[in-house]
Amino acid sequence: MSQLEPLIADLALILICAGVMTLLFKSLKQPIVLGYIVAGFLASPNMPYMPSITDGEGVHVWSDIGVIFLLFALGLEFSFKKILKMGAAPIIAAVAIIIGMMYVGSLAGGLFGWSDMDCIYLGGMLAMSSTTIIFKAFDDMGLRQERFAGLVLSVLIIEDILAIVLMVMLSTMAVSKEFEGTQMLTSILQLGFFLVLWFVVGIYLIPLFLRKAKRLMNDETMLITALALCFGMVVFASAVGFSSAFGAFVMGSILAETVEAQKIEHLVTPVKNLFGAIFFVSVGMMVDVNLIVEYIVPILCIVVTIMLGQTLWSTCAFLISGQTLKTSMRCSFSLTQIGEFAFILATLGTSLHVTSDFLYPIVVAVSVFTTFTTPYMIRLAEPAYNVVARVLPAKWIAKMESNTTENAEETETDEMRLISRTELKRFVLIMIINSVLCLAVIAIMYYYGAPLIYDLLPDPWNGIVTAFVTLSICAPFLWALMRRGGNSDNVNRLWYEGGSIERVKITAFAILRLAIGAAFIAYIIGNTLHKSGMLGIFAVIAIAFYIFISPTAEKRSNRLTKTFTENLNEREHQQ
C-alpha cells in the first residue's frame, strides 16, 4: 500500500475543513473568510481531539502563493491608473493614517511598560491594515465596485508601498540605534525608480506581446502566460529587495490596462480562490489558545486600540483628504485590522533581536481577532454614521460636507493658472519617466553590455562602441527629456499671455531639462570614453546639440510615445 505524502494529506484536511466551514458560514449568511479562519483553527496542531496538519512549512509556502494570487487579482481589478484617477486623497489619507497609528501603537506599548523598540515596532504593525483580508471581505460582501471600497484599496496599496520604506527605516534604527535619513531617501528613490520602470516598460511591451500572440491564445495558454508574467515579476521584485506580493500587484496592474484583462481575471479566479483559501486557513492555524490566555489583557487592549484608533484617526484622515463624513466612516471602519505586514515586521524585529519574544504571538492573536471582526465592522459603518449624524449638530455636518471634494465642480476661474499647473505636471512626468529610462539603459549597458564589448574589442574602440551604443539607445529618451512638449499650444499660450512669471517658469524648466540631459551624456562619456576637461565639455555640448535637433531621435521618441499611449488606453478604447 502506497504512503501518501504529508503535504497531500494536509491539503486534503485543509480543504475538507474549509469546505465544511464555508458551507456552514454561507448558510448562516456570514462572510466566507471567517469560515476559513475557523477551519484553520480546527486543522491546526493547537486543536485537540482533531486531525491536524503535519507539514507546517509546506502549508506556509502555499499560503505565500495565496497572497501572491490575491494581490495579482487585486492588481487586475484595481490598477495604478485607477489610483492616479483618485487624485491626492489616498496619498493624504495613507500618510496621515500611518503617522497617527504609529503614534497610537507606540503609546499603547508604552502604557504596558514595554521597551522603546517594542513600542516602535508595535506602532509600525498597527499602522498597516491588511490588503488581502479587506479585498476578500469586499469581494464576499459585493462591495468591490463601491466608491469607498476603491478609495480604501487605493490607500492600502499606498500603505503597502510605504511599508517597504518603513521596513528599511526600522531596520536601520535597529542596527544603528538612530534614524538614517540618507538610507531611507535612497530606499524611496529606488522604489520610485523601479515602479516607473516596471510600469512604463510593462505597458509598452506586454500589450504588444499579447497582440502578436493573440491567434495562439486559448484559455489554457492565456492562463499559463498570465501566471508566467505574474511569477516572473514576483521573482524580479524579490531580487531587487521588494516583497513578492508587491511584484504580483504590479504585474496585475499592468495587465489591467490590456484588452485581455477581464479574460485573465476570469481565468485566474479559480486558482486565486484555491490558494487564497489556504492563506486564510493558515491564518486560523496560528491561533494558540494557551498564548491567548497568557497574554489576554494586552491582546484585548491592542484590539480595542486598533478599532478605536483606526475608526477615529482614519475618519479624520479621510476628512482631511476631502471625503464626506459618511465615506470617511465607511473607509475607516474597513481598516480596523492588521495583517500580513504585521507578521513580516514582527519577524524582522525577532531576527534582528530588537523586540521581545512575546510580541510575535500577541500580534498573531490580534491579527486573527481583527480579521474575524472585519466584516462586522464594515457592516457597522453605516449604522454608526446614522448615530453620529443624529448626535452631531447640523452645522458641523454641513461644514464637513462643504469642505469635501466628492462631486465637487471645478471652480478654477484663473484659466492661465490651471493651464500652468497642468503643464507643470506634464513636464515633471516627462522628466521622471525619461530619466528613469535613461538610468535603466545606462545601468544595463554598464553591468552587462560594456563587459561583453570590452572583451571583444581592443582599446580605444571598446569605449567608443560602448558610448555609441548607449547614446543611440538613450537618444529618443534624451530628446523627449530635453524637448517634448516645449512647443505645445498651451506652452506657447502661457509664454505670450501668461506674463513674466510664466515665462520665467518655462525658461527655468527648459534649462533644467537641458541640464539633466547634458548630465546623462556627460556621465556616459566620462565613464566610457574617460574624457574630461575642455574636450569632454565640447563632446557633451556637441552630442546634446545633435540629439536636440536630430529628426531621427524625434521620430523614434514620437513612435515610442504613441505606442505607449495607445497601449495605456487600449482597454478604454475597446469598451
Side-chain angles (χ1 to χ4, degrees):
M1 184 176 176
S2 63
Q3 183 71 30
L4 267 181
E5 288 292 328
L7 196 58
I8 298 175
D10 289 342
L11 179 60
L13 177 62
I14 288 170
L15 293 180
I16 290 170
C17 291
V20 172
M21 286 297 107
T22 51
L23 289 173
L24 176 61
F25 274 70
K26 192 73 174 177
S27 66
L28 296 174
K29 298 182 179 179
Q30 300 301 314
I32 292 176
V33 67
L34 304 182
Y36 290 143
I37 294 172
V38 174
F41 176 65
L42 295 176
S44 72
N46 300 317
M47 183 64 179
Y49 315 115
M50 288 281 291
S52 60
I53 65 157
T54 56
D55 187 357
E57 287 298 319
V59 175
H60 179 70
V61 171
W62 278 352
S63 71
D64 287 344
I65 296 173
V67 174
I68 289 171
F69 277 117
L70 286 167
L71 268 295
F72 181 55
L74 175 60
L76 286 169
E77 173 68 23
F78 202 80
S79 66
F80 278 118
K81 196 172 175 183
K82 288 185 179 179
I83 296 175
L84 293 175
K85 287 181 179 178
M86 288 280 184
I91 299 174
I92 296 170
V95 172
I97 290 168
I98 290 173
I99 294 173
M101 289 307 297
M102 282 197 71
Y103 175 76
V104 169
S106 301
L107 185 63
L111 294 176
F112 287 112
W114 295 349
S115 68
D116 290 342
M117 291 307 294
D118 284 337
C119 293
I120 293 172
Y121 270 75
L122 178 64
M125 295 171 201
L126 302 194
M128 302 292 172
S129 300
S130 173
T131 306
T132 51
I133 291 168
I134 295 175
F135 179 66
K136 180 64 176 174
F138 283 161
D139 204 16
D140 290 346
M141 300 169 73
L143 298 173
R144 230 168 49 183
Q145 303 303 321
E146 297 269 348
R147 186 187 182 280
F148 89 94
L151 188 58
V152 169
L153 292 173
S154 296
V155 168
L156 290 169
I157 296 304
I158 294 167
E159 283 187 353
D160 288 344
I161 294 171
L162 295 176
I164 299 168
V165 179
L166 182 61
M167 285 182 66
V168 172
M169 183 181 73
L170 293 179
S171 299
T172 55
M173 287 179 64
V175 174
S176 62
K177 305 300 181 184
E178 59 184 19
F179 175 71
E180 289 286 347
T182 304
Q183 188 164 351
M184 190 186 77
L185 180 61
T186 302
S187 176
I188 294 173
L189 292 175
Q190 183 186 27
L191 176 64
F193 171 80
F194 280 108
L195 268 178
V196 173
L197 180 63
W198 287 338
F199 192 73
V200 172
V201 175
I203 290 295
Y204 184 80
L205 294 179
I206 291 176
L208 287 176
F209 165 73
L210 292 177
R211 282 199 295 272
K212 296 289 185 183
K214 187 173 182 179
R215 64 184 181 84
L216 303 173
M217 289 290 186
N218 56 21
D219 287 356
E220 181 180 357
T221 53
M222 178 66 77
L223 175 62
I224 298 303
T225 301
L227 296 185
L229 291 169
C230 171
F231 280 90
M233 180 60 81
V234 164
V235 172
F236 188 40
S238 298
V240 297
F242 302 132
S243 71
S244 57
F246 184 65
F249 173 80
V250 170
M251 181 50 66
S253 69
I254 293 171
L255 289 173
E257 308 303 340
T258 67
V259 293
E260 306 292 346
Q262 194 169 359
K263 184 177 181 181
I264 293 171
E265 186 179 0
H266 173 72
L267 294 172
V268 169
T269 296
V271 188
K272 176 202 74 175
N273 289 340
L274 171 62
F275 285 99
I278 296 174
F279 166 72
F280 289 107
V281 168
S282 71
V283 172
M285 287 179 183
M286 291 185 290
V287 177
D288 188 335
V289 176
N290 294 326
L291 287 174
I292 291 175
V293 172
E294 184 177 354
Y295 295 106
I296 189 63
V297 174
I299 288 171
L300 291 177
C301 290
I302 293 172
V303 168
V304 172
T305 299
I306 292 172
M307 291 184 174
L308 290 179
Q310 281 285 16
T311 52
L312 295 175
W313 186 266
S314 298
T315 297
C316 294
F318 282 107
L319 284 171
I320 292 170
S321 70
Q323 308 306 309
T324 64
L325 178 60
K326 184 175 182 179
T327 299
S328 299
M329 291 186 67
R330 295 186 77 185
C331 291
S332 63
F333 275 67
S334 302
L335 297 172
T336 53
Q337 78 291 117
I338 59 174
E340 54 281 354
F341 177 75
F343 306 147
I344 296 170
L345 202 55
T347 303
L348 177 66
T350 303
S351 62
L352 294 173
H353 305 291
V354 294
T355 57
S356 304
D357 293 336
F358 60 78
L359 194 58
Y360 190 90
I362 287 177
V363 168
V364 169
V366 169
S367 175
V368 173
F369 271 120
T370 54
T371 299
F372 201 86
T373 59
T374 293
Y376 302 106
M377 291 297 292
I378 294 172
R379 288 174 178 169
L380 186 62
E382 285 207 49
Y385 166 75
N386 294 333
V387 172
V388 171
R390 286 197 300 267
V391 172
L392 287 180
K395 291 182 179 180
W396 292 15
I397 300 291
K399 181 66 175 176
M400 285 187 281
E401 301 296 315
S402 66
N403 290 331
T404 63
T405 58
E406 294 182 46
N407 303 318
E409 297 181 358
E410 182 62 59
T411 58
E412 180 65 70
T413 55
D414 189 345
E415 190 179 0
M416 287 295 107
R417 187 178 301 174
L418 182 60
I419 294 173
S420 177
R421 193 180 304 161
T422 302
E423 290 303 306
L424 173 63
K425 290 179 182 177
R426 192 158 71 97
F427 281 154
V428 170
L429 192 62
I430 289 170
M431 286 193 295
I432 291 174
I433 289 176
N434 288 284
S435 295
V436 166
L437 292 173
C438 287
L439 283 172
V441 171
I442 292 170
I444 291 170
M445 285 298 300
Y446 183 79
Y447 286 105
Y448 300 105
L452 180 62
I453 294 171
Y454 273 68
D455 287 339
L456 295 175
L457 298 175
D459 287 330
W461 293 105
N462 48 23
I464 294 172
V465 171
T466 301
F468 177 78
V469 172
T470 306
L471 286 168
S472 296
I473 299 173
C474 286
F477 311 131
L478 289 170
W479 183 91
L481 179 61
M482 293 188 289
R483 287 197 61 181
R484 180 164 300 286
N487 197 34
S488 67
D489 292 338
N490 281 340
V491 172
N492 289 332
R493 186 176 176 186
L494 286 171
W495 181 267
Y496 291 110
E497 301 177 20
S500 58
I501 295 178
E502 296 301 333
R503 291 176 187 171
V504 170
K505 289 180 183 179
I506 293 170
T507 304
F509 262 97
I511 294 172
L512 177 62
R513 294 169 69 180
L514 288 170
I516 295 173
F520 280 120
I521 296 170
Y523 182 84
I524 293 169
I525 291 173
N527 281 274
T528 53
L529 298 180
H530 306 290
K531 298 296 182 182
S532 59
M534 290 303 299
L535 183 60
I537 294 172
F538 175 77
V540 170
I541 293 173
I543 293 171
F545 180 74
Y546 173 76
I547 292 175
F548 189 85
I549 64 171
S550 171
T552 303
E554 181 179 0
K555 288 179 182 178
R556 289 171 61 197
S557 178
N558 289 337
R559 188 167 61 249
L560 290 170
T561 302
K562 181 183 178 182
T563 303
F564 175 82
T565 305
E566 288 175 350
N567 290 347
L568 185 63
N569 299 317
E570 182 182 30
R571 188 178 180 184
E572 293 177 1
H573 291 160
Q574 292 290 331
Q575 292 175 348

